[in-house]
């Protein structure tokens, strides 16, 4: 049988032929593509000629393109349109891809050629982009143990295997603890304050468990509304304490030893590779560069945010006292914050939604991209799609030159994971004089239209759409020679700049006037509503900032020091939190044992990057505001120096080329209302 994944894609713009691809095509396609990629690597290794940038680094960069293309199609489908069949295939092919990756990075002959070129790099007369690619390749091999002796390589593999198991165990324990708890309510008066939709969901949960009444769980869609709206303080307390005690209950799902083992193994691995700590290893490949810079960054923000946070905490405490709450506890925070916000800003999501019809918001973001970057979006119907809900667009510039294909997938369905993300089905690169353009996708989960109403977005969903579209611009406007340096292939703490920057336009009258029309009357959004949105954006910002900083500080304490002598997770955490604590401590609660971002996900030594990217976007947007939010010169500068350059240079160099100077925290603090 002919496999469409292994043929040339004879489709408009060489897009993926989704209608011809069947699940059974994937595994044979992967096996064949891995075989082809291995042969390409062998050709590089066995080339008898002296290694050159072209026959080694460039050849390696453009090897495995068929495998890359198949992988992007498969894993994007697994996220946006999965089935049990696709999930089974994922389990089967992931080990094959992992093994293939190890075969490359542990290929001694290949590494020797790369190393030889790296040691001669100053004499090779390379462009900035070529030098970046050579350095990136060399470092990637070294950071995966290529320079180690055989004994240490074996030790590294052992550590990596153990860490993989521990991270999996950490996540499984948190999930088991989350699933083990339920708050079962049988008296209706205990539901006071809860929105109708939340009560309805709790009733459905109870029915599914063959129980009467209502069941609330520690899953976010159940937990967050409960602690935000439930009037019964004792029940809020029960929920909050259960949430904070996950995997910290000295039972079979306890994560205390798992945490200690993870941090100690990470430290051991870093030392094996020649680094002082795990944070030194991680941050070498980030804008922040080293733990000292991260700690200074966090300390500076803490110094400025803490007075505001303490003042807000006092205000919130006084507000709660009117309700008879003598001492504000963790389980009171969300409840009284919501009440105070309503009182101060008169914000009602239901009144805002009619101004944000999905189609209008899409047209709005397209118009803004046109005004800033000269892009044009035309919906086309000749591109194959993986689901009927998906919209496809041909993107051109004002000279009608083809820029990209954009897929947009907006509604939830079975087989699609939660959340919102941007991804690509094909990178951009330049080869043999041809600029091969990217295929970019944005995926969200917004409310579907009904028989009586179109899809109307909450303001939070509007900012989500702009956020993902900011990432999409980074992908669509890519203009680099090499695919692995193209688009969003940048340092972890730089990738959120284009996305977070574009969110700023959602708060500007000049931008909202382009698309925020009432879906029935076509009336423009009233200025009073825009003012309310802007004012409420900074509500309790000091407390929010302090909370984010506390997580970043805890992360750096775990990973930026030698953890060998740590024996007690709770007391170590308490010490790390001492400068950021507002609420009284709860002895039976521990953050670290369920801090999945740093112990299961990819954020170890990287939690600071949320705030880091905010500093960049606030500083960059200040430049736009100085010149006008639709100023062509500033926009072109951002396009030429940031969006089109991908990872071809160090991010700080790109940022300075755009802004003319390094960013400071001041713009963020000013925007957050923490600096007058």
């Amino acid at each position: 049988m002919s496999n469409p994944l292994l043929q040339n894609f004879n489709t408009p713009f060489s897009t993926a032929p989704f209608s011809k691809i069947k699940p059974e095509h994937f595994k044979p396609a992967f096996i064949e593509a891995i075989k082809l990629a291995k042969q390409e690597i062998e050709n590089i290794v066995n080339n008898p000629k002296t290694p050159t940038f072209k026959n080694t680094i460039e050849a390696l960069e453009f090897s495995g393109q068929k495998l890359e293309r198949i992988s992007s199609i498969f894993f994007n489908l697994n996220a946006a349109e999965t089935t049990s069949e696709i999930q089974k295939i994922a389990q089967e092919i992931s080990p094959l891809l992992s093994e293939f990756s190890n075969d490359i990075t542990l290929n001694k002959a290949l590494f020797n050629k790369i190393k030889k070129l790296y040691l001669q790099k100053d004499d090779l007369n390379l462009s900035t982009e070529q030098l970046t690619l050579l350095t990136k390749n060399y470092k990637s091999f070294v950071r995966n143990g290529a320079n180690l002796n055989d004994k240490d390589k074996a030790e590294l593999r052992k550590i990596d295997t153990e860490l993989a198991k521990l991270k999996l165990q950490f996540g499984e324990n948190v999930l088991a603890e989350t699933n083990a708890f339920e708050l079962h309510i049988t008296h209706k008066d205990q539901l006071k304050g809860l929105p109708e939709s939340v009560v309805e969901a709790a009733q459905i949960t109870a029915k599914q468990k063959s129980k009467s009444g209502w069941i609330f769980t520690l899953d976010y869609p159940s937990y967050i509304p409960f602690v935000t709206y439930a009037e019964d303080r004792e029940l809020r307390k029960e929920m909050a304490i259960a949430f904070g005690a996950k995997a910290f209950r000295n039972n079979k799902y306890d994560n205390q030893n798992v945490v200690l083992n993870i941090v100690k193994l990470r430290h051991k691995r870093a030392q094996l590779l020649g680094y002082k700590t795990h944070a030194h290893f991680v941050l070498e490949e980030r804008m922040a560069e080293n733990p000292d810079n991260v700690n200074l960054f966090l300390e500076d923000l803490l110094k400025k945010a803490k007075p505001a946070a303490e003042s807000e905490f006092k205000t919130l405490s006084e507000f709660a006292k009117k309700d008879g709450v003598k001492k504000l506890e963790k389980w009171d925070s969300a409840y009284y914050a919501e009440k105070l916000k309503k009182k101060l800003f008169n914000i009602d999501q239901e009144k805002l939604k009619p101004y944000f019809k999905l189609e209008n918001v899409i047209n709005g973001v397209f118009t803004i991209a046109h005004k800033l970057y000269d892009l044009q979006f035309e919906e086309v119907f000749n591109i194959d799609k993986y689901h009927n809900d998906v919209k496809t667009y041909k993107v051109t510039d004002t000279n009608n030159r083809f820029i990209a294909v954009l897929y947009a997938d907006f509604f939830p369905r079975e087989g699609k994971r939660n959340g919102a993300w941007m991804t690509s089905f094909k990178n951009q690169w330049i080869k043999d004089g041809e600029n091969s353009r990217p295929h970019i996708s944005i995926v969200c989960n917004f409310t579907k239209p009904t028989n009586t109403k179109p899809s109307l977005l909450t303001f939070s969903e509007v900012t989500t759409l702009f956020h993902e579209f900011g990432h999409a611009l980074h992908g669509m406007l890519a203009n680099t020679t090499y695919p692995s340096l193209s688009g969003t292939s940048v340092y972890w703490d730089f990738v959120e700049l284009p996305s977070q920057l574009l969110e700023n336009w959602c708060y500007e009258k000049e931008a909202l006037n382009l698309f925020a029309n009432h879906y029935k009357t076509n009336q423009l959004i009233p200025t009073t509503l825009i003012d309310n949105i802007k004012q409420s954006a900074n509500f309790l910002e000091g407390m929010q900032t302090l909370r984010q900083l506390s997580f970043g500080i805890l992360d750096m304490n775990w990973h930026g020091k030698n953890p060998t002598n740590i024996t007690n997770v709770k007391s170590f955490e308490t010490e790390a939190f001492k400068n950021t604590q507002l609420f009284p401590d709860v002895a039976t609660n521990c953050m670290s044992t369920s801090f999945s971002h740093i112990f299961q996900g990819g954020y170890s030594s990287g939690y600071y990057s949320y705030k880091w990217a905010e500093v960049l976007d606030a500083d960059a947007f200040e430049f736009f505001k100085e010149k006008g939010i639709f100023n062509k010169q500033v926009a072109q500068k951002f396009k030429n120096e940031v969006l089109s350059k991908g990872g071809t240079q160090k991010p700080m160099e790109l940022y300075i080329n755009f802004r003319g100077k390094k960013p400071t925290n001041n713009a963020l603090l000013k925007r957050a209302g923490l600096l007058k």
Side-chain angles (χ1 to χ4, degrees):
M1 106 181 148
S2 71
N3 191 324
L5 288 162
L6 294 168
Q7 317 300 319
N8 288 327
F9 295 167
N10 296 317
T11 53
F13 316 110
S14 302
T15 49
F18 290 111
S19 61
K20 293 178 184 165
I21 300 169
K22 294 184 169 65
E24 60 265 28
H25 290 137
F26 280 110
K27 196 173 177 184
F30 270 110
I31 290 167
E32 182 60 27
I34 287 172
K35 202 167 118 188
L36 287 170
K38 279 185 173 175
Q39 188 54 57
E40 288 169 333
I41 299 294
E42 283 304 303
N43 294 345
I44 298 167
V45 170
N46 297 328
N47 187 339
K49 293 181 180 172
T50 305
T52 63
F53 182 85
K54 191 168 181 60
N55 71 20
T56 304
I57 304 301
E58 206 164 272
L60 179 61
E61 176 69 3
F62 285 105
S63 71
Q65 282 199 299
K66 180 70 78 178
L67 179 61
E68 177 70 29
R69 196 80 200 273
I70 294 165
S71 293
S72 68
I73 292 168
F74 177 77
F75 287 105
N76 283 330
L77 282 181
N78 193 31
E81 185 59 15
T82 196
T83 60
S84 55
E85 203 176 346
I86 284 177
Q87 287 172 355
K88 185 172 178 286
I89 297 164
Q91 295 288 338
E92 291 168 3
I93 59 165
S94 291
L96 302 179
L97 293 171
S98 183
E99 191 184 341
F100 171 69
S101 176
N102 282 336
D103 287 346
I104 294 176
T105 53
L106 296 173
N107 186 319
K108 204 166 186 179
L110 179 61
F111 175 61
N112 287 340
K113 289 194 169 206
I114 293 168
K115 188 174 183 178
K116 189 175 182 183
L117 288 166
Y118 182 74
L119 295 174
Q120 303 169 354
K121 66 182 187 295
D122 296 337
D123 306 319
L124 296 177
N125 198 24
L126 300 176
S127 69
T128 303
E129 188 176 348
Q130 289 172 327
L131 185 59
T132 300
L133 186 67
L134 171 57
T135 306
K136 186 178 177 178
N137 272 285
Y138 174 73
K139 278 187 172 179
S140 171
F141 276 74
V142 170
R143 286 166 66 82
N144 283 290
N147 267 336
L148 298 178
N149 60 41
D150 289 345
K151 180 172 169 276
D152 287 345
K153 273 182 186 171
E155 177 69 11
L156 192 74
R157 276 179 183 258
K158 194 174 140 201
I159 289 172
D160 284 347
T161 304
E162 189 58 27
L163 276 170
K165 283 185 200 160
L166 285 166
K167 283 164 74 176
L168 204 60
Q169 189 189 343
F170 183 94
E172 285 169 0
N173 286 347
V174 173
L175 184 63
E177 286 278 270
T178 304
N179 292 341
F181 176 86
E182 60 179 48
L183 177 68
H184 186 198
I185 290 176
T186 51
H187 298 292
K188 200 167 185 177
D189 58 343
Q190 292 181 306
L191 301 170
K192 273 185 192 162
L194 291 169
E196 205 176 299
S197 57
V198 177
V199 172
E200 195 182 337
Q203 195 168 30
I204 292 167
T205 306
K207 272 185 186 161
Q208 285 167 347
K209 297 184 179 230
S210 304
K211 293 183 181 178
S212 60
W214 304 266
I215 285 178
F216 296 89
T217 69
L218 299 182
D219 290 320
Y220 272 72
S222 179
Y223 174 76
I224 298 292
F226 194 91
V227 294
T228 306
Y229 298 106
E231 289 179 17
D232 191 318
R233 192 181 185 214
E234 281 306 308
L235 291 178
R236 291 202 311 270
K237 178 180 178 179
E238 191 181 334
M239 285 286 274
I241 286 179
F243 190 86
K246 282 183 292 186
F248 183 63
R249 299 192 303 130
N250 294 312
N251 59 11
K252 65 177 177 177
Y253 301 123
D254 194 284
N255 267 337
Q256 290 174 83
N257 284 330
V258 179
V259 166
L260 293 175
N261 287 334
I262 287 174
V263 293
K264 287 170 186 178
L265 282 170
R266 281 174 174 169
H267 183 71
K268 195 175 173 185
R269 185 185 195 277
Q271 295 231 305
L272 196 63
L273 290 165
Y275 295 87
K276 190 180 174 185
T277 68
H278 178 68
H280 285 85
F281 168 77
V282 170
L283 293 166
E284 182 185 63
E285 294 296 286
R286 303 279 162 93
M287 275 185 89
E289 295 178 344
N290 59 59
D292 286 347
N293 287 342
V294 172
N295 290 327
L296 283 171
F297 169 74
L298 294 170
E299 281 163 24
D300 183 52
L301 277 181
L302 176 62
K303 200 163 62 184
K304 286 158 182 164
K306 195 173 178 180
E310 288 172 338
S311 169
E312 290 165 2
F313 185 75
K314 193 180 170 191
T315 302
L316 200 59
S317 298
E318 292 299 322
F319 181 68
K321 262 184 194 159
K322 292 171 188 168
D323 239 10
V325 174
K326 288 174 185 168
K327 194 179 199 180
L328 199 69
E329 302 278 1
K330 285 179 183 174
W331 44 89
D332 299 315
S333 178
Y335 179 74
Y336 285 104
E338 183 65 19
K339 284 184 96 165
L340 185 57
K341 187 179 182 179
K342 270 187 181 165
K343 186 186 171 194
L344 293 175
F345 304 108
N346 191 26
I347 283 277
D348 184 349
Q349 288 293 352
E350 295 307 308
K351 281 183 185 167
L352 283 175
K353 279 165 75 173
Y355 294 97
F356 297 124
K357 181 181 166 185
L358 175 60
E359 289 76 6
N360 293 351
V361 180
I362 296 166
N363 289 336
V365 83
F366 286 172
T367 305
I368 288 165
H370 175 71
K371 286 170 87 77
L372 292 170
Y373 307 118
D374 296 324
L375 295 177
Q376 300 177 141
F377 298 82
E378 179 198 347
E379 187 171 4
V380 289
F381 303 92
N382 60 342
I383 293 176
D384 234 346
K385 5 196 231 197
Y386 56 85
H387 192 277
N388 282 339
D389 281 353
V390 178
K391 290 178 178 289
T392 49
Y393 300 89
K394 175 187 174 186
V395 188
T396 56
D397 65 13
T398 41
N399 295 318
N400 222 25
R401 280 182 301 227
F402 174 60
I403 299 295
V405 168
L406 175 67
Y407 297 85
D409 181 358
F410 290 120
F411 303 121
R413 58 180 173 268
E414 201 180 337
K416 182 178 180 181
R417 69 177 167 90
N418 285 331
W421 63 94
M422 166 266 173
T423 183
S424 69
F425 284 102
K426 179 196 163 299
N427 280 340
Q428 173 272 335
W429 65 80
I430 299 170
K431 194 181 181 194
D432 303 329
E434 185 203 346
N435 194 328
S436 185
R437 300 308 301 166
H439 302 168
I440 303 298
S441 175
I442 55 173
V443 189
C444 303
N445 281 281
F446 299 143
T447 308
K448 281 189 111 159
T450 65
N451 291 334
T452 56
K453 272 184 184 172
S455 174
L456 301 175
L457 306 188
T458 64
F459 185 71
S460 171
E461 288 173 328
V462 175
T463 59
T464 295
L465 198 155
F466 271 67
H467 181 100
E468 299 312 330
F469 194 78
H471 282 309
L473 287 170
H474 205 179
M476 290 187 289
L477 291 169
N479 199 27
T480 63
T481 306
Y482 304 112
S484 75
L485 300 177
S486 175
T488 55
S489 302
V490 299
Y491 281 6
W492 190 291
D493 46 9
F494 192 62
V495 77
E496 294 296 336
L497 168 60
S499 55
Q500 289 183 189
L501 177 66
L502 198 67
E503 286 184 44
N504 287 282
W505 273 262
C506 298
Y507 295 90
E508 297 298 318
K509 191 175 191 302
E510 202 181 334
L512 286 167
N513 283 350
L514 296 171
F515 66 90
N517 300 73
H518 196 287
Y519 79 101
K520 278 183 177 172
T521 65
N522 211 32
Q523 179 202 352
L524 261 182
I525 187 168
T527 306
T528 50
L529 280 182
I530 297 174
D531 291 343
N532 287 352
I533 291 168
K534 288 188 87 157
Q535 284 169 2
S536 68
N538 289 341
F539 180 61
L540 298 187
E541 187 66 39
M543 284 173 69
Q544 284 299 330
T545 301
L546 201 66
R547 184 172 177 270
Q548 284 287 94
L549 293 175
S550 74
F551 298 163
I553 290 165
L554 179 63
D555 174 27
M556 291 307 293
N557 270 273
W558 279 121
H559 295 113
K561 298 171 182 174
N562 182 345
T564 313
N565 298 322
I566 303 169
T567 55
N568 188 301
V569 173
K570 173 72 177 179
S571 55
F572 181 81
E573 175 179 295
T574 305
E575 181 63 21
F577 277 157
K578 71 179 181 190
N579 288 328
T580 56
Q581 195 172 330
L582 293 172
F583 293 92
D585 181 54
V586 179
T588 56
N589 282 189
C590 182
M591 165 83 185
S592 299
T593 55
S594 61
F595 198 174
S596 299
H597 271 75
I598 68 169
F599 292 120
Q600 187 193 5
Y603 276 88
S604 62
S605 309
Y607 204 88
Y608 75 91
S609 56
Y610 281 110
K611 277 288 164 209
W612 185 276
E614 275 188 57
V615 166
L616 294 175
D617 97 68
D619 188 75
F621 191 62
E622 195 171 68
F623 192 23
F624 273 97
K625 288 201 83 170
E626 282 165 15
K627 309 286 184 185
I629 66 165
F630 290 113
N631 183 284
K632 260 301 200 301
Q633 285 172 303
V634 178
Q636 288 304 307
K637 217 172 176 192
F638 191 69
K639 175 181 166 181
N640 296 337
E641 302 297 348
V642 176
L643 295 175
S644 68
K645 290 278 173 73
T648 56
Q649 276 175 260
K650 286 193 168 177
M652 191 56 86
E653 290 171 13
L654 296 177
Y655 190 83
I656 292 168
N657 291 345
F658 156 65
R659 188 70 166 97
K661 63 184 179 72
K662 280 188 172 185
T664 69
N665 296 346
N666 286 358
L668 171 65
L669 293 163
K670 212 184 288 177
R671 184 177 73 185
L674 302 176
L675 196 70
K676 301 303 175 213

